[in-house]
Amino acid sequence: MSNLEIPGSFGDWLKSRRKALDLTQEELSTRAGCSVFALRKIESGERRPSKQLAALLADALQISEDDRPTFIRIARGDLTLDRVVSIPDSKPAPDSSKPVPHHLPLPPTPLLGREPELAAMDRIFNEPPCRLLTLTGMGGIGKTRLALEFASRQQSKFPGGVHYVPLASVNSAESIVPAIAEAFEFSFSGPVDPQEQLFDHISHERKQSTLLVLDNLEHLLAQSSAAAELVAEILKRFPNIKILCTSRERLNLHGEWTYELHGLPIPPYEFLDKLEDYSAAELFLQRARQIHAEFELTEADKTALARICHLVEGIPLALELAAAWVGVLSCREIAQEIERNIDFLTTSMRDIPERHRSLKATFDHSWRLLSHEERSTLSRLSVFHGGFDRLAAEKIAGATLPLLALLVSKSLVRRTEDGRYDLHEVIRQYALTHLEKESKKYLETRDAHSSYYLNFAAEREMSLKSARQRLAVQEILGEMDNLRAAWSWMFQRETFDKGCKAIRSLGWFFEVSGLINEGIDHFEPLVRTLKAKPASPALQRVLGEACTQQGILCFRKGLYERAVSLMEESVLLLRPLGDTGLLVDALVYLGIIMHLNGDIDRSQALMKEGLSYAQDPKYEWFAAYATYNLGYIASLRGNYTRGREQMMEGLAIWRRLGDPHSIALGLNYLIPTLITLGSFDEARAYLQESLELCQASNNRWGMGTAYRHLGWAAKAQGRLEEAQSFLHKSLETFGDYIIGWDISQTLIVLGETVALTGNHPKARELFLTALRLARDIHSAPLMLEALAGLASLEARRNPEWIVDWLILIKEHPAAKRDVKDRACQLLRDVEGCFSADKLQAIRKGKSNESLASIVNALVLG
């Protein structure tokens, strides 16, 4: 540290210090949140900074805490210039410690005048009993900005990170969990409830103290108790997490602390000479100078500015909107425009809540001063949810780039860091009320919005099935609020034919993004609604396609019976329409379920029919699925060479298309055939490729399957310890995300591996668990495979028991070829243990029990 004498004037010292820190006027003005024009005036000695600006300059110029009060008094002219200020010789040494994962948006301007509120919140929040603090207040009062500032200042206290979750555009309590997941940079995978997936991630990845900021929660509280219950559950499950909420109303939870936010301090009329010492006036002046660099507050303006601050009661949003007009109107004219409406709203509009009246007056004022074109555009922009890009704004609302720029300049539209645009939620709601008054324009705009975003989803179907898959998923996720609004409007207008083109694309999106439950729920209202309507070819097509996609998602979740029912219904609905292309996905996926459940003959017939309908190049992706699965069926029947050829043919199509999700699937399910053929090196290479693809997209189902097959290959080569490690990793990767078939299959392979080590009790436990899971999903092939594993354990101890089992496996049409072969060999070995008379007696006493009765007896016994 060194002492630096203040030169002849504060402005001279300021310029010297700025240059010493290698800052331009533009850079310093940005750091201090003032205009370049204002900074030039201060450096030239023509004006003094306000108290708030002096404090911001102290931060920007790295003034020590000890010298800060002296610096501010010198800047304000309260002390003479012969005082000394202690400043650092150089910039602070960078912190070499590991960065903490904080996720807070960068505010565009410094926070003004909230130090008392920040201090009060700090006292409350750092009380040990306080784990939930709700910041309440009316719309536009600055809850979000204050919450961001408070969270930013708390970062050092939360080594687990500070995570910001914006909820203004989330339109249902069910969508809060995906929003929180995005803040934690977590992606869902598999059919398990997204909330449990998120909680499992947090429990493993966020063990240190963590702050969660839930912003704009009020509209979700009004819908149901689900939002508050989710907050309560997070607090209950994770004692290391504290939550800061912003809402217009409290959550009404036990243990909740609240802090109500009011307007910024307003200057009394008797203190007009110290206007800039009051944050409401300072905010107005700061925004006015950012908008109009030449703006100067005259003596005549001071009373009008105080009046503006009083009329809007210090509400930050209202002040910013009022300041947007300084280039057009004088402060007196702005105050007059606001005043004309303030009496009307407070005395006549009984249906307007008290807390909205002055803010509504500001909106009315701003609205009247807009041109007809600007009003029309702003009202049309109110139909967007969660923001929009330039193209959508122009197509739907007729908002050209110059119009958008005008609305941005008047603080009515915001431009985000990623180049998108959005409206403050309160402004959006206000503008929407104006649009709704013009019914024709309202219907036209909502129709255009719905059509645009349904087309947006439909146009990404091929991208979702190509090398652009991850980008397409991110694009759709970015527009999910608009897509939900478009889908909802389709119901209101009953324009189901417009939604039809997006059904396939959305179905595959929900699968590859891991949002299985949300996808099932997304299609449910459509299926239910259309089933209740009179049949017509157009609606029959929509219902058929919706049943297909919901059925596929039910299949991925493990709801096989419901999936089969939906896809059978889909085939019945679509077949009479004469467009065979509509049947392809229903036939192919129904065929997959059939071979998984053991009906191989029907599976093969469905695959062949689906393949015959997929000859058009636009159905090439479906042709790959049919071809691949016909190869898989060939392997199930024991024709491994032919099976490998067909699976490689399907995989080659996926490679050409570049679809990473399908490529990983193809690589994974080729492995059992390669193992049987002894191609172990090839199998391991494919599995390594699959893992890389799955890890890049966080495809946990694919990763778990790859680890299972690595264990399978290691078992086949006698590397039992390595096999067990891979199989346990498979189960760990699946966790609760995958249920049913995959878990049962992995347990069977693990049981076989453990049996080879000689640990028969553990192996029996694994086979029985697999048997129970297979029974629950009605998978005959898996039940037979688990039963074969149990038979191998009982062969020496109780050979008479297993004769019935082995005969059943040998003769059952659902048993895979390799399972039949093992059963036949074991049956020959067991029969060799008995005399001819004994064997004949055993056969005569054969019970002819069904698979279901044998399995139930074992599971329940």
Side-chain angles (χ1 to χ4, degrees):
M1 305 292 288
S2 65
N3 290 336
L4 181 69
E5 296 290 338
I6 298 290
S9 72
F10 175 76
D12 292 338
W13 181 88
L14 181 64
K15 182 188 292 185
S16 174
R17 179 60 185 152
R18 174 174 60 77
K19 291 181 177 180
L21 293 173
D22 196 26
L23 296 173
T24 65
Q25 287 183 328
E26 289 79 7
E27 289 169 337
L28 180 56
S29 63
T30 299
R31 290 189 182 188
C34 66
S35 67
V36 176
F37 180 81
L39 184 62
R40 288 173 183 163
K41 292 281 188 180
I42 295 170
E43 288 191 351
S44 67
E46 295 179 41
R47 61 174 290 186
R48 292 269 182 188
S50 67
K51 186 176 181 180
Q52 285 88 351
L53 180 53
L56 293 169
L57 285 169
D59 291 336
L61 297 171
Q62 302 176 5
I63 303 302
S64 69
E65 286 297 319
D66 291 340
D67 285 325
R68 184 186 180 91
T70 302
F71 173 87
I72 293 173
R73 294 182 68 189
I74 291 173
R76 297 287 296 141
D78 297 330
L79 288 178
T80 58
L81 298 179
D82 58 349
R83 300 301 295 261
V84 174
V85 177
S86 178
I87 62 171
D89 288 317
S90 61
K91 297 179 181 179
D95 185 2
S96 60
S97 60
K98 184 178 179 180
V100 179
H102 299 300
H103 302 275
L104 291 171
L106 181 65
T109 57
L111 180 68
L112 292 176
R114 293 297 193 186
E115 289 300 327
E117 290 87 348
L118 289 165
M121 290 172 64
D122 188 75
R123 285 194 299 271
I124 296 169
F125 204 58
N126 287 293
E127 286 287 332
C130 179
R131 294 185 55 224
L132 170 62
L133 174 60
T134 303
L135 186 58
T136 63
M138 63 175 293
I141 203 67
K143 298 185 295 294
T144 295
R145 182 64 186 86
L146 182 60
L148 287 173
E149 182 70 22
F150 179 78
S152 178
R153 297 188 184 193
Q154 297 289 313
Q155 291 182 69
S156 63
K157 300 176 182 177
F158 292 93
V162 176
H163 300 270
Y164 174 74
V165 185
L167 297 172
S169 61
V170 171
N171 57 12
S172 69
E174 292 74 22
S175 299
I176 299 176
V177 167
I180 296 175
E182 184 177 351
F184 278 98
E185 299 181 341
F186 171 70
S187 299
F188 300 107
S189 177
V192 173
D193 177 30
Q195 179 173 312
E196 288 306 315
Q197 293 190 44
L198 175 62
F199 283 5
D200 182 69
H201 170 77
I202 294 173
S203 66
H204 286 91
E205 300 296 329
R206 294 291 183 271
K207 298 183 183 298
Q208 296 176 302
S209 295
T210 301
L211 174 58
L212 183 62
V213 183
L214 302 178
D215 189 29
N216 286 298
L217 201 59
E218 60 275 349
H219 60 295
L220 300 169
L221 298 174
Q223 294 176 7
S224 69
S225 61
E229 288 168 358
L230 175 61
V231 173
E233 185 65 16
I234 292 173
L235 292 170
K236 178 181 176 182
R237 294 272 290 268
F238 305 106
N240 60 310
I241 290 182
K242 282 194 171 189
I243 298 178
L244 173 64
C245 292
T246 72
S247 173
R248 296 184 193 179
E249 61 180 291
R250 60 175 300 163
L251 279 64
N252 288 318
L253 291 176
H254 180 69
E256 178 187 22
W257 295 58
T258 61
Y259 186 85
E260 185 175 3
L261 186 61
H262 300 285
L264 293 168
I266 298 169
Y269 289 108
E270 57 271 26
F271 292 144
L272 295 181
D273 58 332
K274 295 187 177 294
L275 276 178
E276 293 185 35
D277 287 346
Y278 293 87
S279 303
E282 177 68 2
L283 176 61
F284 179 94
L285 292 171
Q286 184 187 81
R287 296 296 182 269
R289 288 165 182 152
Q290 287 177 339
I291 292 164
H292 189 60
E294 301 299 320
F295 174 75
E296 281 292 311
L297 187 69
T298 66
E299 285 298 317
D301 289 330
K302 289 183 178 180
T303 301
L305 174 52
R307 181 62 180 153
I308 291 170
C309 293
H310 281 268
L311 287 172
V312 301
E313 300 178 19
I315 298 168
L317 179 59
L319 290 163
E320 293 191 19
L321 290 172
W325 293 102
V326 296
V328 179
L329 301 172
S330 67
C331 289
R332 182 179 60 82
E333 289 172 317
I334 294 172
Q336 287 174 345
E337 289 294 330
I338 297 173
E339 196 165 9
R340 285 194 188 102
N341 282 325
I342 202 85
D343 291 340
F344 172 76
L345 287 170
T346 56
T347 60
S348 302
M349 298 295 287
R350 296 180 182 274
D351 60 336
I352 300 296
E354 182 67 30
R355 67 183 184 276
H356 283 173
R357 290 180 182 173
S358 54
L359 184 58
K360 180 72 161 53
T362 301
F363 292 153
D364 283 341
H365 149 71
S366 298
W367 184 263
R368 280 197 322 277
L369 296 177
L370 292 173
S371 69
H372 174 74
E373 187 180 25
E374 290 168 340
R375 290 182 191 176
S376 177
T377 300
L378 184 62
S379 65
R380 288 180 183 272
L381 290 174
S382 68
V383 302
F384 288 100
H385 293 259
F388 50 89
D389 58 26
R390 280 175 51 191
L391 178 61
E394 186 164 7
K395 293 287 186 182
I396 296 168
T400 62
L401 185 57
L403 265 174
L404 280 175
L406 272 174
L407 293 171
V408 169
S409 72
K410 295 176 181 180
S411 302
L412 296 169
V413 173
R414 298 179 295 197
R415 191 169 191 273
T416 59
E417 289 182 2
D418 58 1
R420 285 168 62 83
Y421 297 86
D422 67 7
L423 276 67
H424 188 289
E425 182 61 19
V426 179
I427 296 175
R428 191 194 71 79
Q429 292 172 4
Y430 175 85
L432 184 61
T433 62
H434 283 274
L435 183 63
E436 289 171 339
K437 293 173 185 176
E438 301 180 66
S439 58
K440 182 181 178 182
K441 186 167 79 170
Y442 173 72
L443 294 175
E444 288 174 351
T445 309
R446 290 296 305 267
D447 286 344
H449 177 273
S450 183
S451 294
Y452 180 90
Y453 281 104
L454 292 175
N455 284 331
F456 174 90
E459 289 165 359
R460 277 149 184 79
E461 180 184 352
M462 297 312 297
S463 294
L464 285 166
K465 297 171 179 176
S466 73
R468 299 185 299 277
Q469 184 177 94
R470 267 173 267 168
L471 175 61
V473 166
Q474 289 305 311
E475 288 176 338
I476 292 178
L477 282 171
E479 297 290 4
M480 277 308 293
D481 292 321
N482 281 313
L483 282 165
R484 291 188 188 103
W487 191 261
S488 175
W489 185 249
M490 175 190 73
F491 277 86
Q492 292 183 51
R493 297 283 275 175
E494 297 194 347
T495 53
F496 299 110
D497 56 320
K498 291 184 179 180
C500 185
K501 55 195 170 187
I503 289 175
R504 267 180 171 163
S505 180
L506 289 173
W508 188 239
F509 159 76
F510 284 122
E511 173 163 345
V512 299
S513 64
L515 297 171
I516 305 298
N517 291 325
E518 185 168 341
I520 293 171
D521 293 343
H522 178 82
F523 289 116
E524 179 60 29
L526 182 60
V527 171
R528 188 174 58 249
T529 299
L530 294 182
K531 283 183 177 181
K533 289 190 171 295
S536 72
L539 293 184
Q540 198 169 320
R541 172 178 176 171
V542 180
L543 177 57
E545 293 211 48
C547 285
T548 297
Q549 298 307 318
Q550 191 181 37
I552 292 170
L553 293 167
C554 286
F555 158 56
R556 291 302 186 207
K557 185 174 172 62
L559 305 173
Y560 284 13
E561 284 186 292
R562 187 180 178 193
V564 169
S565 175
L566 284 163
M567 284 190 269
E568 295 276 23
E569 183 175 4
S570 173
V571 172
L572 289 174
L573 289 165
L574 298 175
R575 197 181 288 280
L577 299 181
D579 186 348
T580 55
L582 299 175
L583 287 163
V584 174
D585 31 359
L587 292 170
V588 169
Y589 276 91
L590 184 56
I592 292 173
I593 299 176
M594 289 300 102
H595 75 60
L596 289 176
N597 282 348
D599 194 344
I600 296 176
D601 290 338
R602 188 178 179 213
S603 173
Q604 188 168 28
L606 289 166
M607 291 295 177
K608 286 182 176 179
E609 184 182 3
L611 182 58
S612 71
Y613 298 155
Q615 297 309 302
D616 189 307
K618 67 181 179 181
Y619 297 128
E620 187 177 27
W621 185 85
F622 295 106
Y625 260 91
T627 301
Y628 184 93
N629 278 279
L630 283 169
Y632 192 84
I633 291 169
S635 288
L636 291 176
R637 293 186 182 279
N639 191 345
Y640 299 107
T641 301
R642 176 58 181 156
R644 180 185 185 281
E645 291 172 357
Q646 285 187 284
M647 283 189 277
M648 291 297 289
E649 185 180 343
L651 180 59
I653 298 174
W654 286 325
R655 286 192 186 279
R656 187 164 65 251
L657 294 173
D659 176 357
H661 193 87
S662 298
I663 292 171
L665 180 149
L667 293 168
N668 282 340
Y669 285 92
L670 181 60
I671 302 307
T673 298
L674 294 178
I675 291 173
T676 304
L677 294 172
S679 302
F680 295 106
D681 290 342
E682 186 180 9
R684 278 193 294 273
Y686 285 162
L687 288 171
Q688 184 58 45
E689 181 185 356
S690 173
L691 280 173
E692 291 172 1
L693 288 170
C694 294
Q695 286 164 353
S697 60
N698 198 29
N699 178 357
R700 295 192 69 169
W701 171 57
M703 283 188 279
T705 304
Y707 286 129
R708 176 176 69 236
H709 288 151
L710 281 168
W712 203 335
K715 175 181 77 75
Q717 292 184 291
R719 300 198 302 271
L720 302 184
E721 187 175 342
E722 180 184 338
Q724 288 184 79
S725 176
F726 278 128
L727 292 166
H728 282 296
K729 193 163 187 177
S730 171
L731 292 171
E732 179 185 330
T733 303
F734 286 144
D736 292 330
Y737 299 98
I738 304 297
I739 59 176
W741 195 94
D742 286 284
I743 300 296
S744 179
Q745 181 67 83
T746 305
L747 289 171
I748 289 170
V749 181
L750 182 58
E752 293 169 350
T753 308
V754 170
L756 290 173
T757 68
N759 189 348
H760 288 191
K762 181 61 178 178
R764 177 181 172 79
E765 178 187 330
L766 291 166
F767 285 134
L768 284 173
T769 303
L771 189 65
R772 177 180 54 78
L773 290 173
R775 180 199 63 172
D776 291 346
I777 60 170
H778 308 285
S779 176
L782 287 178
M783 286 189 278
L784 292 162
E785 192 168 358
L787 189 61
L790 288 167
S792 68
L793 297 178
E794 299 293 341
R796 292 186 179 180
R797 293 195 309 163
N798 302 292
E800 291 183 31
W801 290 10
I802 65 172
V803 171
D804 285 359
W805 302 356
L806 295 172
I807 293 173
L808 175 66
I809 296 168
K810 175 184 173 183
E811 297 175 354
H812 203 290
K816 293 187 285 187
R817 169 53 56 192
D818 64 317
V819 176
K820 283 179 180 283
D821 291 344
R822 293 205 311 269
C824 289
Q825 180 60 52
L826 187 56
L827 183 59
R828 286 193 294 270
D829 294 343
V830 168
E831 288 176 342
C833 299
F834 303 113
S835 65
D837 292 341
K838 180 66 173 177
L839 185 59
Q840 186 176 5
I842 293 173
R843 287 187 177 277
K844 283 183 179 180
K846 187 175 181 296
S847 63
N848 290 315
E849 284 186 280
S850 67
L851 176 60
S853 62
I854 292 174
V855 169
N856 284 333
L858 286 167
V859 169
L860 297 174

